[in-house]
Amino acid sequence: MNNSVGSTGRLLWAGLRALLVLTVVCGVLYPLAVTGIAQVAFPDKADGSEIKDAGGKVVGSELIGQTYNLPLKDGEETAAPDLKWFQPRPSNGLGSNSVNTQYSIILSGATNRSGDNADLVQWVKDAKAAVIKDNSTADYKVKPSDVPAEAVTSSGSGLDPHISPEYAKLQVHRIAEENHLTVAAVDKLVADHTDGRILGFIGEPRVNVLQLNIALKQLATAKG
């Protein structure tokens, strides 16, 4: 009886010591070491890949997209896009923001609809018609064949912060007209904010919409 109690006590004490050691090593020392290395080697990424405006204020993350809409009016279910800004991919997952200074994510995700779903097909048709209408100006007419896929479809996460250079260039004439800028100046803005393939061969060229709109704001403010 006494030997059984003593053995049980030793096992419990050994288990408790293992728990304490592993808690200190895995729950304290390891997280602190990884955090310290990340802060030294990748400080920007470790802090959430924050993006700041010209005044140094954090306005978002380069990993999470934002919407650029007008204030929601009474009776409206969906806010209209603010056409003075470059528009991101359509998504139900992006929270609203006010002139790219704040946003709140309520939910994210894809539609999870099949390619032949009637609702999805109609959404894509409506989105395509809106892209053509919104981006056609007096001297620039958008053709249906000009509209890239990501202009009318959301990403799997619903939080994609990037668009293709083609979609950004499609918006150049509208942006120039809305902000009283030259097409050449806006076109250069897009070119300057186009990132190439990672390591030259991974992925596709892309444009971060938030970074592009911050640069657009600076350009428009300087001209105004």
Side-chain angles (χ1 to χ4, degrees):
M1 180 70 177
N2 290 335
N3 288 338
S4 177
V5 172
S7 297
T8 301
R10 285 194 297 273
L11 286 174
L12 290 174
W13 175 233
L16 179 60
R17 283 182 295 174
L19 174 63
L20 293 174
V21 170
L22 290 173
T23 298
V24 172
V25 173
C26 299
V28 179
L29 298 181
Y30 177 75
L32 286 177
V34 171
T35 301
I37 293 171
Q39 287 291 338
V40 172
F42 312 101
D44 292 336
K45 290 180 172 57
D47 290 334
S49 300
E50 296 175 337
I51 294 179
K52 298 179 180 179
D53 62 13
K57 180 179 180 180
V58 175
V59 294
S61 168
E62 66 179 65
L63 305 176
I64 301 176
Q66 299 187 25
T67 55
Y68 296 83
N69 295 329
L70 295 169
L72 192 64
K73 297 179 181 179
D74 292 339
E76 285 185 339
E77 293 185 1
T78 304
D82 190 341
L83 298 181
K84 70 180 180 180
W85 302 108
F86 283 95
Q87 293 296 313
R89 297 183 68 166
S91 176
N92 294 325
L94 303 185
S96 62
N97 74 82
S98 175
V99 194
N100 76 343
T101 60
Q102 60 183 1
Y103 65 107
S104 55
I105 299 175
I106 300 175
L107 55 88
S108 66
T111 62
N112 291 330
R113 308 253 178 172
S114 64
D116 60 353
N117 179 269
D119 289 336
L120 179 60
V121 171
Q122 190 59 51
W123 291 343
V124 170
K125 288 181 178 178
D126 291 343
K128 192 169 188 176
V131 168
I132 293 172
K133 176 179 177 293
D134 290 343
N135 292 284
S136 292
T137 63
D139 59 347
Y140 178 74
K141 300 301 179 183
V142 178
K143 297 179 293 185
S145 59
D146 295 334
V147 181
E150 88 275 1
V152 295
T153 57
S154 62
S155 64
S157 67
L159 301 174
D160 192 349
H162 299 102
I163 58 176
S164 67
E166 290 75 22
Y167 187 29
K169 291 175 181 177
L170 183 146
Q171 302 182 60
V172 163
H173 285 76
R174 184 250 299 162
I175 291 293
E177 184 175 84
E178 291 284 337
N179 292 279
H180 308 291
L181 300 168
T182 65
V183 170
V186 180
D187 202 41
K188 183 177 184 302
L189 206 63
V190 171
D192 291 344
H193 288 81
T194 297
D195 298 321
R197 293 178 173 86
I198 300 172
L199 299 179
F201 67 94
I202 300 175
E204 295 294 331
R206 64 208 179 279
V207 179
N208 187 287
V209 180
L210 176 56
Q211 292 177 326
L212 181 59
N213 276 332
I214 291 174
L216 171 64
K217 183 178 181 180
Q218 290 178 286
L219 181 63
T221 300
K223 187 179 185 305

